[in-house]
Amino acid sequence: IINSDGTVSSNSINKTVIAGPTGGTITTYNSKRYHKFTSSGTFTNTSAITSVDFLLVAGGGSCGNGNYTNSWAGGGGAGGCIQTDSHTVTAQGYSIVIGAGGSHRASGANSTAFGSTSIGGGFGGSNSENAADGGSGGGAGGDHASYVGQQGDGTSGQGNDGGAGYDPAPEGCGGGGGKGTVGTAAGSGGAGAGGAGINLATWATATSSGDGGYYAGGGGGASGRGDLS
């Protein structure tokens, strides 16, 4: 407090204002500050913070390379999902890497932040190829007995396995695994659904992200269309 004569009152308190962290799209919700990264960037922190929560999701895998416009293609697995509470960050810049989803017949790319890595989702199998392992595993293809049981494995703590395919005709393909549940196995004439993601409604509301409050759901498998082998 500055008096009229220019002196400083004895009850004045000197304070140093420290700027908050920067990086990503910043929102405030329920008195918490959120930084959302949908592409790679840098989280720059100006002072030590001992309780930071973060959600890290990798890119999802693609469907399988089935014949006849992917009729025997298993669903892609969800990208690995890590949720960590009360993480400590120091005053420095942290590189945030956001993994992209897999292109045709490819697994998703990893995402990294604060020393953690979430694994990209595995691509789906087909009637001529095994599904891939990943954060969540890809679903198995249909039509060929050698491949219907070759769904991809998920990574412990990040996701789940894909679902099995089905043979003989009418075939179906397994769903990719999700963070919440395994991919559904196909049945006679029916494809397997993708595994459910994890419901984090508060994160979704605060950052305008997620799918109806869910993150890291697996892709559904395709239905068969006749018997090739």
Side-chain angles (χ1 to χ4, degrees):
I1 300 173
I2 305 299
N3 300 319
S4 59
D5 61 359
T7 60
V8 179
S9 296
S10 60
N11 61 349
S12 295
I13 300 176
N14 295 322
K15 294 183 178 180
T16 301
V17 178
I18 299 176
T22 60
T25 301
I26 301 172
T27 57
T28 301
Y29 181 75
N30 285 348
S31 301
K32 290 186 177 181
R33 181 185 178 103
Y34 291 81
H35 294 251
K36 178 177 71 174
F37 288 84
T38 54
S39 59
S40 300
T42 303
F43 175 85
T44 302
N45 191 37
T46 54
S47 62
I49 303 176
T50 58
S51 183
V52 171
D53 304 339
F54 69 86
L55 175 67
L56 184 64
V57 182
S62 76
C63 68
N65 189 34
N67 297 40
Y68 295 112
T69 62
N70 296 325
S71 293
W72 290 283
C81 180
I82 297 174
Q83 184 188 12
T84 300
D85 299 329
S86 300
H87 182 77
T88 298
V89 296
T90 59
Q92 62 173 295
Y94 291 87
S95 176
I96 309 296
V97 177
I98 303 301
S103 57
H104 187 225
R105 192 181 159 274
S107 296
N110 296 348
S111 292
T112 60
F114 307 117
S116 293
T117 299
S118 57
I119 306 300
F123 65 83
S126 68
N127 62 343
S128 60
E129 185 174 34
N130 294 344
D133 302 335
S136 282
D143 181 60
H144 199 298
S146 297
Y147 298 100
V148 295
Q150 301 299 322
Q151 59 268 35
D153 295 332
T155 301
S156 177
Q158 297 193 19
N160 286 284
D161 300 346
Y166 184 85
D167 183 74
E171 304 93 349
C173 306
K179 170 65 174 179
T181 63
V182 299
T184 303
S188 178
I198 183 173
N199 188 351
L200 298 171
T202 299
W203 284 85
T205 300
T207 62
S208 299
S209 62
D211 183 3
Y214 285 81
Y215 295 85
S223 295
R225 47 172 292 180
D227 199 22
L228 282 185
S229 56

